Amino acid sequence: MKSLKAATTALSLASVAFMGVVDADEFNHRYKTGDNVQFYVHKVGPYVNPQEAYNYYSLPYCAPDNEHHPHKKVTTGLFNKLRSNSIGEYIGGHALRHSGHSVQYAPKQPVSESCTTASALTVEEADKFKKAAADQWIYQTYLDDLPVWGMVGEMYSKDEKTKTSPHVYTERTILIQYNGDRIISVDLVSDPKSLVEIKAGDKLTFTTKFMWAETDQEFHSRFDKYLDKPFFKHHIHWFSIFNSFMMVLFLMGLVALILVRTLRKDFAKYALSGGDVEGGEEYDDDEYDGD
């Protein structure tokens, strides 16, 4: 009995010690001040057609100028590295790649990271941004498994006399709200003053500011806003419902008409045969006599 208690005590102490050395990360969603928080980019595509999606870095965005920059030639750089996804994420078509931003948990001051395109935009690269702005493309990013969206650009003119032209947002602010050791909410705001006209031959500088703020919202309710978001509200297509209803009525009427015509023919044959079963023959009772 004493040996059993000793074994149980040793196992409990080992469990506590193991829990003490587990690092905070994106999988248990618990962090300490200064811990790295992974910021992933997912896809870009037209706002009106979410099924048309492309890799985030298919647009000529630059890599943040930090330790993850590919030109640093370090093996630990995470820029554009594909995250290992679960089976459900693979089935859902998720392909999250590291944004290259270096984000630490809950700093006291806002942190900004900037980058400038390595070279001037080529005609092809400029056309990609122009198409994204003209077609109202949005991009999707993830931080601690919380999705957040932003506009690539828009058609803009400085005054009413000037014709609108494609512009791209070059500055964005990501507001992260946390409660204790957990991230509760992520929001993204693009600065309208940062709109820059897209021209081949120009270099673009992109800036991302990370701001942290405390909140008293509980961790279990952090996805509630996505369920109530008007962004995801699906409008009822009454015309489609009416069209489907009329199609069902038409098919039911067609089947009923075929059945009625078939039954009429069967009743007519039955009446002409004098009540005998179709194809049957009459037999005299004498035929069954032995005489």
Side-chain angles (χ1 to χ4, degrees):
M1 190 69 178
K2 291 182 179 180
S3 60
L4 180 60
K5 289 183 177 180
T8 304
T9 304
L11 182 61
S12 301
L13 291 174
S15 300
V16 172
F18 175 76
M19 292 176 62
V21 300
V22 172
D23 293 331
D25 56 25
E26 59 184 321
F27 299 105
N28 59 27
H29 304 288
R30 292 185 181 276
Y31 303 90
K32 300 187 297 291
T33 302
D35 282 346
N36 291 324
V37 181
Q38 308 304 332
F39 181 45
Y40 294 99
V41 293
H42 184 203
K43 59 185 179 180
V44 292
Y47 170 77
V48 296
N49 184 19
Q51 284 72 32
E52 183 183 350
Y54 306 94
N55 188 299
Y56 177 86
Y57 282 112
S58 63
L59 292 178
Y61 283 113
C62 55
D65 190 13
N66 55 28
E67 68 273 14
H68 299 301
H69 197 286
H71 293 166
K72 299 293 183 180
K73 297 181 180 180
V74 292
T75 57
T76 57
L78 298 176
F79 172 73
N80 207 21
K81 293 292 182 64
L82 188 65
R83 190 183 83 164
S84 57
N85 297 328
S86 64
I87 295 177
E89 289 173 328
Y90 278 118
I91 294 176
H94 293 272
L96 304 184
R97 294 180 177 274
H98 201 281
S99 64
H101 287 285
S102 180
V103 185
Q104 279 74 42
Y105 186 78
K108 295 182 179 180
Q109 300 295 330
V111 178
S112 297
E113 288 191 333
S114 301
C115 67
T116 303
T117 51
S119 58
L121 294 178
T122 64
V123 175
E124 182 181 359
E125 291 174 336
D127 288 342
K128 289 181 179 181
F129 269 134
K130 288 179 180 180
K131 177 177 175 58
D135 295 344
Q136 294 183 325
W137 280 23
I138 62 173
Y139 57 82
Q140 185 181 32
T141 63
Y142 281 85
L143 192 144
D144 196 47
D145 287 340
L146 293 174
V148 62
W149 294 263
M151 295 293 296
V152 175
E154 60 181 81
M155 302 298 291
Y156 174 76
S157 63
K158 295 182 178 180
D159 51 61
E160 297 180 356
K161 298 179 181 180
T162 308
K163 185 179 179 181
T164 59
S165 59
H167 286 62
V168 64
Y169 287 104
T170 58
E171 294 182 14
R172 61 187 178 186
T173 299
I174 297 179
L175 176 62
I176 308 167
Q177 294 182 308
Y178 66 98
N179 186 353
D181 59 353
R182 290 190 160 186
I183 295 175
I184 305 301
S185 174
V186 182
D187 295 290
L188 186 150
V189 179
S190 299
D191 187 358
K193 297 179 181 179
S194 69
L195 283 170
V196 175
E197 186 175 2
I198 305 166
K199 295 180 180 179
D202 289 352
K203 287 187 177 184
L204 296 177
T205 299
F206 296 93
T207 302
T208 301
K209 179 187 293 185
F210 297 92
M211 298 182 62
W212 294 76
E214 291 190 72
T215 180
D216 56 359
Q217 183 180 347
E218 296 296 332
F219 178 80
H220 63 80
S221 62
R222 67 178 192 157
F223 276 98
D224 290 352
K225 71 173 185 177
Y226 299 106
L227 301 178
D228 299 331
K229 196 75 173 177
F231 182 86
F232 293 102
K233 188 177 291 184
H234 297 284
H235 298 285
I236 300 175
H237 298 277
W238 292 107
F239 179 77
S240 298
I241 295 175
F242 177 77
N243 187 38
S244 300
F245 178 72
M246 294 303 297
M247 181 62 69
V248 171
L249 288 180
F250 171 75
L251 293 175
M252 290 177 62
L254 184 62
V255 172
L257 179 62
I258 295 173
L259 288 175
V260 169
R261 294 187 63 180
T262 302
L263 290 174
R264 280 183 178 178
K265 288 182 180 180
D266 290 344
F267 281 124
K269 289 181 180 180
Y270 182 78
L272 291 175
S273 63
D276 295 330
V277 178
E278 183 179 356
E281 296 182 2
E282 296 183 2
Y283 296 94
D284 293 336
D285 291 339
D286 296 340
E287 294 183 7
Y288 293 97
D289 294 340
D291 300 338

